[in-house]
Amino acid sequence: MKVGIDKLHFATSHLYVDMAELATARQAEPDKYLIGIGQSKMAVIPPSQDAVTLAANAAAPMLTAADIAAIDLLVVGTESGIDNSKASAIYVAKLLGLDRRVRTIEMKEACYAATAGVQLAQDHVRVHPDKKALVIGSDVARYGLNTPGEPTQGGGAVAMLISADPKVLALGTESSLLSEDVMDFWRPLYHTEALVDGKYSSNIYIDYFQDVFKNYLQTTQTSPEALTALVFHLPYTKMGLKALRSVLPLVGANQQAQWLAHFEHARQLNRQVGNLYTGSLYLSLLSQLLTDPQLQPGNQLGLFSYGSGAEGEFYTGVIQPDCQAGLDQGLPQRLARRRRVSVAEYEALFSHQLQWRADDQSVSYADDPHRFVLTGQKDEQRQYLDRQG
Ligand code: CAA
């Protein structure tokens, strides 16, 4: 039985900052951000969006009534949690109108957690093939103004419907995993921005990729040439390119050229959004499938998921004949329609998030066009609005 991704959809903010303009404001060469980091635009997440609203905005447009009736597992992977106890998935389930008899959980392991959700979901559907699972990676990536990590911020959510006989990608049952205690990136409970050892984290990422990739090839007796393209977690798009370059010596010149050409499509949409932590690998998958005319049904893709702290996983999936019908076809146009904000406006939005305090607060949301918005906090409870509700 084939099990895998049946639908794949993305949501981010309606605002972005131009990376050349940000570089100039930070006294950096624009090419450092555009080429050295590999980002052209960075999503600016307004105070009216958080991990919950981004997740609901990603999932709602792709779900039919039949999907909603079949979903009995919802996993939200996030490292931008809004409560130390209650799962963001509970809020998301309510906003989406899921049935009460659904298992709702939030998963955390930095940028890796959505992959844990995908694997849990595929195991669940293999046991219950008449059911569907919804897995969402949703985050706001924040390092702070004027920090080295600043050009690698961003945010958004990717929603994946996991089912039997999937339209998009049939997932392999084998994968290669690695997890160890590594202090490359973390966020203590009292911090709103991540702490990171940037260069170290980039080196660990490559070490983990090489380890799980080679281990996968060896344990499954797979030839690297069997993989048409490699898709990466992309904290910034140059990171994936560095990882890809590190394994090029494993294949011949033709395959090297093919992998490099496919990679340009895989990073096309991420280049316009920035990091989205848990959803990043899956936005890259969406980018690969939406923008790469050389891919065909039957092609096998390798997927590398990385979460600092650290955990890595390499697994594969095969493109299905009806792939395009399961994808978020309107995404490139939506990204093109976003409003560009100045660096000053981005800085103001960055600093005016809902505060981690007990008092009642309200958030300005009139300019936010999304269906689900955060309107504030009342009696220590976050207030969400469904404009269609
Ligand atoms: N033209 C072209 N390239 C230029 C340039 C110019 N004018 N000026 C500089 N560059 C290049 C540099 O040569 C460098 O390229 P290489 O990495 O290929 O050598 C690149 O631009 C970046 O320059 P620096 O190394 O000087 O940049 P930096 O020290 O300011 O910071 C960073 C870069 C470490 C990635 C920083 O942005 C950071 O800390 N980011 C957050 C951490 C991160 O994303 N880590 C990734 C792995 S962890 C992970 O994946 C989990 C997650 O999501 C966080």
Side-chain angles (χ1 to χ4, degrees):
M1 177 180 52
K2 287 182 184 173
V3 172
I5 301 174
D6 186 57
K7 295 182 183 177
L8 188 56
H9 210 273
F10 175 67
T12 184
S13 133
H14 59 297
L15 306 172
Y16 75 91
V17 69
D18 179 81
M19 291 302 277
E21 190 181 335
L22 182 62
T24 305
R26 301 296 181 244
Q27 281 86 48
E29 287 280 324
D31 278 352
K32 173 175 175 182
Y33 289 9
L34 299 173
I35 299 167
I37 299 285
Q39 295 298 138
S40 308
K41 296 176 179 174
M42 185 171 85
V44 173
I45 307 300
S48 49
Q49 292 293 320
D50 66 5
V52 168
T53 57
L54 288 166
N57 284 316
M62 74 178 190
L63 297 179
T64 63
D67 292 332
I68 288 177
I71 291 170
D72 68 347
L73 171 65
L74 168 63
V75 181
V76 175
T78 186
E79 52 183 302
S80 315
I82 46 100
D83 191 291
N84 285 330
S85 176
K86 183 166 173 166
S88 51
I90 299 270
Y91 294 96
V92 175
K94 180 182 174 191
L95 291 174
L96 294 175
L98 298 189
D99 194 90
R100 288 190 308 140
R101 304 206 183 280
V102 59
R103 182 175 288 137
T104 47
I105 46 171
E106 178 175 309
M107 279 194 172
K108 178 168 67 182
E109 183 359 66
C111 308
Y112 167 75
T115 298
V118 168
Q119 297 295 12
L120 175 72
Q122 79 148 312
D123 289 349
H124 176 73
V125 172
R126 285 188 195 283
V127 178
H128 306 283
D130 55 327
K131 297 295 183 188
K132 298 182 182 185
L134 179 60
V135 179
I136 310 174
S138 183
D139 277 296
V140 182
R142 289 168 65 90
Y143 291 94
L145 303 176
N146 248 313
T147 62
E150 184 182 35
T152 66
Q153 298 178 137
V158 179
M160 290 169 274
L161 190 65
I162 308 294
S163 75
D165 300 322
K167 282 194 278 296
V168 176
L169 200 70
L171 298 177
T173 51
E174 302 302 319
S175 73
S176 176
L177 284 149
L178 182 65
S179 71
E180 293 160 313
D181 183 5
V182 176
M183 292 307 285
D184 61 332
F185 168 109
W186 67 106
R187 185 164 68 85
L189 291 175
Y190 46 84
H191 270 295
T192 52
E193 279 82 48
L195 303 178
V196 63
D197 188 338
K199 296 267 162 41
Y200 180 54
S201 70
S202 301
N203 291 336
I204 295 281
Y205 174 113
I206 292 181
D207 290 349
Y208 266 56
F209 169 60
Q210 292 193 349
D211 183 300
V212 293
F213 180 58
K214 290 175 185 168
N215 182 260
Y216 180 90
L217 296 179
Q218 191 188 6
T219 55
T220 62
Q221 293 291 294
T222 302
S223 154
E225 271 85 6
L227 302 170
T228 307
L230 300 178
V231 188
F232 294 86
H233 165 59
L234 293 179
Y236 53 99
T237 73
K238 177 77 168 292
M239 184 75 253
L241 183 59
K242 287 187 192 198
L244 177 59
R245 283 179 178 155
S246 79
V247 296
L248 290 180
L250 296 181
V251 294
N254 282 350
Q255 184 79 21
Q256 291 186 9
Q258 198 186 100
W259 277 355
L260 287 166
H262 286 304
F263 178 75
E264 289 309 314
H265 293 283
R267 71 164 160 171
Q268 198 169 306
L269 300 182
N270 299 65
R271 183 178 254 292
Q272 300 178 48
V273 176
N275 199 356
L276 37 139
Y277 290 163
T278 48
S280 171
L281 164 64
Y282 300 99
L283 176 61
S284 184
L285 174 63
L286 190 48
S287 182
Q288 183 90 76
L289 296 171
L290 274 177
T291 72
D292 191 339
Q294 302 304 326
L295 287 177
Q296 293 169 5
N299 287 162
Q300 186 171 203
L301 304 179
L303 302 161
F304 174 59
S305 181
Y306 178 75
S308 291
E311 183 149 357
E313 180 164 352
F314 186 86
Y315 69 112
T316 59
V318 175
I319 300 175
Q320 297 302 290
D322 212 9
C323 174
Q324 293 301 318
L327 303 179
D328 184 352
Q329 296 290 341
L331 176 55
Q333 291 76 19
R334 288 205 311 282
L335 290 179
R337 281 200 305 268
R338 290 176 298 169
R339 181 166 76 79
R340 175 174 170 168
V341 297
S342 66
V343 172
E345 198 178 342
Y346 143 67
E347 290 176 344
L349 289 165
F350 185 93
S351 306
H352 287 104
Q353 303 290 314
L354 200 69
Q355 300 298 301
W356 298 108
R357 293 195 317 254
D359 52 330
D360 289 358
Q361 301 168 53
S362 59
V363 163
S364 158
Y365 61 90
D367 293 339
D368 186 332
H370 290 96
R371 173 174 167 185
F372 301 105
V373 288
L374 171 68
T375 63
Q377 174 173 290
K378 191 167 183 306
D379 301 330
E380 301 199 49
Q381 297 173 23
R382 287 168 94 87
Q383 305 294 306
Y384 292 108
L385 173 68
D386 174 0
R387 287 194 165 112
Q388 292 177 21

